[in-house]
Amino acid sequence: MSHTALRHLVIVLGDQLNLDATALHDFDPSCDAVWMAEAMQESTHIPSSKQRTTVFLSAMRHFAQTLRAQGWPLHYTALDTPDAPSTLADALNRAIEQLRPQALVLTAPGDWRVLQDLRAVARAHALPLQLRDDLHFFSTVREFAEHAKGRKQLRLEYWYRALRQKTGILMVDGKPVGGQWNFDADNRASFGKQGPPPIPAPQRFAPDTITQDVMALVNSQLAHHPGHLSSFGWPVTRDDALLALQGFITQRLPLFGQYQDAMWEGEVWLYHSHLSCALNLKLLNPREVVQAAVDAYTQGLAPLPAVEGFVRQILGWREYVRGIYWTHMPEYLERNTLNAQAELPAFYWTGDTDMACLRDAIGQTLQHGYAHHIQRLMVTGLYALLLGVKPQAVHAWYLGVYVDAVEWVELPNTLGMSQFADGGLMASKPYAASGKYIQRMSNHCQGCRYDPAQSTGARACPITTLYWDFLMRHADTLAKNPRMVMQVNNLKRLTPEQREAIAAQALAHKTV
Ligand SMILES: Cc1cc2nc3c(=O)[nH]c(=O)nc-3n(C[C@H](O)[C@H](O)[C@H](O)COP(=O)(O)OP(=O)(O)OC[C@H]3O[C@@H](n4cnc5c(N)ncnc54)[C@H](O)[C@@H]3O)c2cc1C
Ligand code: SF4
């Protein structure tokens, strides 16, 4: 194929590793080529952890290997290619100059910034950029925008029900299977004093030579980035991702719902699926994941509350946050309704804190690039919310540290759900709680030098102190929210002296 004959240069990004991507639909190997590039800036615009960067690069290299083996013409720039451009835009500029395509083709990316950069490159070369819908998802952004039109408030539940109806998933004769849409009430158990039942060993995948090469590269070029690689075991190929799915369905799904919110010291994996990374890289299609869970229910292998709870995460939350991201970017990124201005505490990068719950959640995050939803929302997210950390700093941390972090899903979860920085667009109330919530849902407090029941004094739990301080600081705003009235009313129990002592103790945490 001569360079001048190139019809389409098809861009495949690091989170678009599916052979059925729309960008590849009409691919003609006689006149098209695939283009992929590893760009250092994607790991440095926020401090991407070693686990996260390794997942992306290794999965990209494995996907490139599959493309080559199947005879797809591919131009691939590796991070360690001599003189490799440091940004995606520069790498694409160079490829266009060398290959002279007639058009660029791209499946809609997951990151607003990347889309703007690639559009600018196309404009600069006066090249058409064909942007195609991402059919990986159950819904389109246009459908979400239509659903949101005219609604004063967006709520997951309505969107989720609309998608259940549209897809027929867990529906019978137009009604939800089991007679109810939502089994949340069955899905909030803690492990109790006795702790979790025996937990199946997690499905982990030993690094092959491709992954080992990436690990060596990351350890040398990004040595100062957060986290470690010694325990790396994420699926980076579709085959491994399918094994991980199968392992979850047979071993963890039956207890997924019941223990969805529970935490236990030192237990990283619990009954969660650990599939977010494979889903977000598109090694797995959400339809096959949801179908596998529904099949487990119909075959009597998993109870309905567990299956409905799992389906709601993927068909509901995952599609919902994507809709919010794309209908509100780029202004969403700047939102800060509660005017939070504190810096992110340094211990978020080390786990070096006396607070047992935060130490555990951050420690496993740095070790594995993973924490489950309640650890993200009600431990690390909660502390940052109560302390009043700038939402953009919290966002940079979440986008950097987790293996599943791509901006379309990370940003609404962080800025909207966990920091309430969008003023209630995403969540109906701030997820504010005292240390007593963590005591109820875990055993962390038993081994902690603090006491969740105390808000002042040497043993006061910092989360409890900051909880009351948060309510006092934002009482006027929060009192207008019907779902917060009860919490705000509890402030009346505090004497002026108690309020003063709490504020003083909270200040000490803010200035650490
Ligand atoms: C502050 C914060 C940041 C987050 N950042 C990310 C992120 O960068 N990437 C990401 O994929 N998820 C993110 N989440 C959502 C959720 O915490 C993770 O999807 C989940 O913990 C991944 O682990 P798992 O695969 O074991 O999930 P499971 O508990 O097994 O859930 C099953 C699947 O449901 C989906 N899901 C569950 N909750 C959500 C949600 N709130 N939004 C979107 N999808 C959801 C995921 O694909 C997940 O794999 C974030 C949540 C919070 C509170
Ligand atoms: S006492 Fe407070 S800081 Fe310690 S584990 Fe419990 S909630 Fe966390």
Side-chain angles (χ1 to χ4, degrees), residues 265 353-359 378-379 382-383 434-439 442-454 459-464:
E265 184 85 16
T353 168
D354 284 348
M355 289 178 272
C357 53
L358 279 144
R359 188 173 59 227
M378 299 308 290
V379 180
L382 173 65
Y383 189 78
S434 74
K436 285 189 177 167
Y437 172 85
I438 293 172
Q439 184 181 39
S442 76
N443 64 339
H444 292 310
C445 303
Q446 287 169 25
C448 186
R449 87 169 172 85
Y450 301 113
D451 176 354
Q454 296 188 34
R459 291 203 58 226
C461 162
I463 295 178
T464 302

Side-chain angles (χ1 to χ4, degrees), residues 135-147:
L135 300 183
H136 164 90
F137 293 93
F138 288 98
S139 58
T140 62
V141 175
R142 287 184 300 282
E143 279 174 297
F144 183 85
E146 194 54 39
H147 168 86

